[in-house]
Amino acid sequence: TGYPTRWEDQTKYRGGWVVDGQRQKSLRLRLQGKWGTLTNIFYNPYLPTLDDYFEPWTYDYQNLISAPLADEQPTARAISMVTGKYMDTIEAGPNWDDDLGGSQVYANNDPNFDGASDEEMRQ
């Protein structure tokens, strides 16, 4: 569904352009104009959040290096680069759905296919 999640969903992020005016048709940004940019410079509710991207992580490599000899192989647990705490699950990351880009799971959640018929979705 893209990166950040649902990045093509124009109703969520208000991206792109719209035709403005009745008689004189002109284009304007969907999100805001010049003055709206100034008022939202420090907070914009329509921009992606950390959850829409992913929580960056690293691994506990020291555990691999310093683990004593054992029958089981040591593991490197994921550590959040935001909080510094161990992460139980990793739910998304950059290029997360690239390998599954053609799957029905992602196609069903793609905002570009809203309103497509069942036959169109099968193709």
Side-chain angles (χ1 to χ4, degrees), residues 30-63:
R30 182 185 310 264
L31 179 59
Q32 61 203 14
K34 260 191 268 189
W35 299 111
T37 302
L38 287 175
T39 59
N40 289 340
I41 197 165
F42 296 110
Y43 172 73
N44 190 333
Y46 302 109
L47 292 179
T49 64
L50 182 64
D51 290 336
D52 294 322
Y53 286 96
F54 68 97
E55 184 172 354
W57 72 90
T58 188
Y59 292 99
D60 183 7
Y61 295 109
Q62 192 60 36
N63 188 42

Side-chain angles (χ1 to χ4, degrees), residues 60 63-64 67 73-77:
D60 183 7
N63 188 42
L64 295 177
Q73 184 171 349
T75 60
R77 290 182 61 193

Side-chain angles (χ1 to χ4, degrees), residues 64-85:
L64 295 177
I65 296 168
S66 62
L69 291 176
D71 291 337
E72 296 85 23
Q73 184 171 349
T75 60
R77 290 182 61 193
I79 299 173
S80 168
M81 294 181 74
V82 176
T83 64
K85 297 179 181 177

